[in-house]
Amino acid sequence: MIKRLILGVLLFVSMAVSAQIDTVSVQIDTLEQELPWPQKLQHRLDSMMQDPLLDYTQLGLMVWDLTDDCPLFSFNKRQLLRPASTMKLLTAITALDHLGGNYQFRTSLYYTGEIEGHTLKGDLYCVGGMDPAFDGDDMWRFARALKDMEIDTLCGRIVTDVTMKDTLKWGEGWCWDDDNPTLSPLLVNRKANFTNRFLASLQEVEIVTDSVSLASEKVPSDAKLVSERKRSIDQILQRMMKDSDNLYAESVFYQTAASTRQPSRALDAARQERALLERAGVGSSSCRIADGSGLSLYNYLSAEIETMILRYAFRRKAVYSHLLYSLPIAGEDGTLKKRMIGTSAEGNVQAKTGTLTGVISLAGYCSASNGHRLCFAIMNQGIQKGSEARAFQDKICMILCD
């Protein structure tokens, strides 16, 4: 009898406490709903900073209201972290700002000497512009252009001009066991076997190359153009950003340097990016820029830096329109195709992802429920399970869009 009485009292107390908790929870929810939009968003983001994930990992976070041009929220905004592939944002924005949205990637074929009968008595020069999309069809068109000039025999040299960049084939700080791209101004289907493929294409169109020798030097100024393959910067940015293609990013990185100095070097490209950071209003001395793709373990940026370059791009329509067009869209395409589906962020968030061992990052744009345009950077580091960090970032994005 006494035991039943005690159990009854305990049950009553438990129910009373539970009811009080529920009442407090409702009051808190009601209070949050009554808050103005910025404070409501800040309150919800602040609650995310209690996530258990942050007990054993690092986070850099910043959110900027582009409509009112003011910061909304930050957490460790100046902590330097590895950006992974969100490094491509700095590469893309610098290139668009420095080279312009009409810039073209070129691979060219020239000749010297004379055409006697159907024989070219001179040299062919293949001039590399580091077009990462140059493929077998482009190569065939080079060979076809010679055939259309009624050339059926070559008597001279096939010369590769790769003076557009230095001779380094890999980036500083790249891991030896990664699937790293080869950094050459002359690639075909992403491989550094340009001359052999060109010879094969010449044979396909029945051009005799028996007496041809091979060389590598700069094309002379009096060489005559045979054919030129061009691609717009928009074509390159699409794959670079949507699919996070590292070769495409490195090509864009070196273009910014080659416009002022050849052979271009990563150091020269980094100088261009540091100049962009100065124009964006963030000091460049506190970061580390090693490559254009984010593969390097030597890259260090902060959430503040990434947010400020997104703000810089937004304020320049000629940059922003090209950049936004290239970014993955949540739940729709690219590296965000399978994320945030069925939430307020689907079709709204346009952002660049970043993934390295232990690093998950996300930075880009979205629109809030009141119509304000926002930019943000979320950098998680020390991550053991990438799915946990992605889920955390998706929640942040949903808060921004709700």
Side-chain angles (χ1 to χ4, degrees):
M1 188 67 168
I2 295 176
K3 287 183 179 179
R4 289 180 192 167
L5 182 60
I6 293 173
L7 288 173
V9 171
L10 290 175
L11 180 59
F12 176 79
V13 171
S14 175
M15 292 174 64
V17 170
S18 178
Q20 288 178 341
I21 291 174
D22 289 341
T23 301
V24 171
S25 178
V26 169
Q27 290 174 343
I28 291 173
D29 289 342
T30 302
L31 179 62
E32 181 182 300
Q33 291 301 321
E34 293 175 351
L35 288 173
W37 171 76
Q39 285 77 25
K40 185 192 302 183
L41 182 143
Q42 290 159 358
H43 175 76
R44 295 183 68 188
L45 290 176
D46 192 57
S47 67
M48 287 292 295
M49 300 306 101
Q50 311 307 314
D51 193 293
L53 180 69
L54 304 187
D55 290 342
Y56 55 92
T57 65
Q58 296 170 277
L59 170 68
L61 168 65
M62 190 170 190
V63 181
W64 192 276
D65 186 335
L66 294 165
T67 303
D68 286 344
D69 196 24
C70 64
L72 282 177
F73 189 85
S74 65
F75 183 87
N76 293 335
K77 66 178 183 180
R78 291 181 179 163
Q79 185 166 346
L80 291 176
L81 300 167
R82 293 189 177 103
S85 281
T86 55
M87 190 75 182
K88 293 180 175 71
L89 286 168
L90 179 57
T91 301
I93 293 169
T94 301
L96 288 168
D97 196 51
H98 180 67
L99 302 173
N102 294 321
Y103 184 80
Q104 292 182 318
F105 292 63
R106 303 168 185 262
T107 306
S108 310
L109 180 65
Y110 291 87
Y111 78 94
T112 59
E114 301 296 331
I115 301 172
E116 298 181 5
H118 297 292
T119 300
L120 172 60
K121 294 186 176 180
D123 299 332
L124 284 175
Y125 284 83
C126 304
V127 183
M130 207 171 180
D131 175 2
F134 192 92
D135 60 16
D137 181 64
D138 294 311
M139 187 70 82
W140 181 86
R141 291 179 183 274
F142 272 4
R144 188 70 244 179
L146 287 168
K147 193 68 174 180
D148 290 344
M149 295 170 64
E150 299 186 350
I151 295 172
D152 61 20
T153 304
L154 300 180
C155 186
R157 302 180 301 165
I158 293 179
V159 184
T160 54
D161 181 348
V162 291
T163 58
M164 179 258 194
K165 73 172 290 293
D166 59 24
T167 58
L168 296 178
K169 300 299 182 184
W170 299 281
E172 180 188 17
W174 287 8
C175 291
W176 65 270
D177 56 348
D178 275 350
D179 183 18
N180 297 319
T182 300
L183 304 182
S184 170
L186 276 174
L187 297 173
V188 55
N189 291 332
R190 308 175 70 93
K191 296 181 181 179
N193 58 348
F194 194 95
T195 304
N196 290 339
R197 289 294 302 273
F198 186 40
L199 285 169
S201 294
L202 292 172
Q203 292 168 8
E204 285 178 13
V205 297
E206 299 180 335
I207 294 178
V208 178
T209 59
D210 293 345
S211 60
V212 163
S213 60
L214 306 179
S216 183
E217 62 187 49
K218 187 172 179 60
V219 62
S221 59
D222 60 348
K224 305 175 188 70
L225 182 66
V226 175
S227 182
E228 191 167 52
R229 305 301 295 156
K230 303 176 184 179
R231 281 181 181 81
S232 69
I233 194 169
D234 281 331
Q235 289 175 293
I236 301 302
L237 289 179
Q238 276 284 301
R239 182 161 175 175
M240 167 183 164
M241 305 298 272
K242 298 267 189 197
D243 299 336
S244 201
D245 192 296
N246 295 317
L247 174 60
Y248 280 56
E250 293 301 329
S251 178
V252 173
F253 185 64
Y254 280 94
Q255 302 295 323
T256 61
S259 65
T260 56
R261 182 189 188 278
Q262 294 191 21
S264 59
R265 304 170 300 172
L267 179 63
D268 303 315
R271 285 199 183 107
Q272 294 289 349
E273 297 194 348
R274 289 183 181 279
L276 184 282
L277 294 180
E278 296 294 336
R279 294 195 294 275
V282 285
S284 62
S285 60
S286 61
C287 68
R288 179 80 161 81
I289 300 170
D291 68 11
S293 62
L295 273 175
S296 177
L297 297 180
Y298 299 163
N299 290 316
Y300 280 97
L301 299 180
S302 67
E304 180 182 48
I305 287 174
E306 292 197 340
T307 303
M308 289 298 96
I309 62 172
L310 288 166
R311 172 180 176 265
Y312 179 86
F314 178 79
R315 291 161 65 90
R316 287 154 181 81
K317 290 183 179 179
V319 175
Y320 181 65
S321 59
H322 293 274
L323 176 68
L324 193 66
Y325 175 70
S326 72
L327 290 174
I329 303 172
E332 294 188 10
D333 64 17
T335 54
L336 286 179
K337 186 175 183 178
K338 297 181 180 180
R339 291 177 62 176
M340 307 178 218
I341 296 173
T343 73
S344 57
E346 181 180 356
N348 185 340
V349 169
Q350 293 178 259
K352 183 71 199 74
T353 58
T355 305
L356 285 174
T357 301
V359 179
I360 302 291
S361 53
L362 183 70
Y365 302 98
C366 68
S367 293
S369 59
N370 65 347
H372 282 218
R373 198 68 175 147
L374 311 178
C375 66
F376 63 89
I378 314 168
M379 306 173 74
N380 293 96
Q381 193 159 299
I383 298 298
Q384 296 297 310
K385 293 182 179 180
S387 58
E388 294 179 347
R390 293 186 188 95
F392 176 85
Q393 293 171 358
D394 291 355
K395 289 178 184 177
I396 295 287
C397 289
M398 284 182 270
I399 289 172
L400 299 182
C401 297
D402 279 344

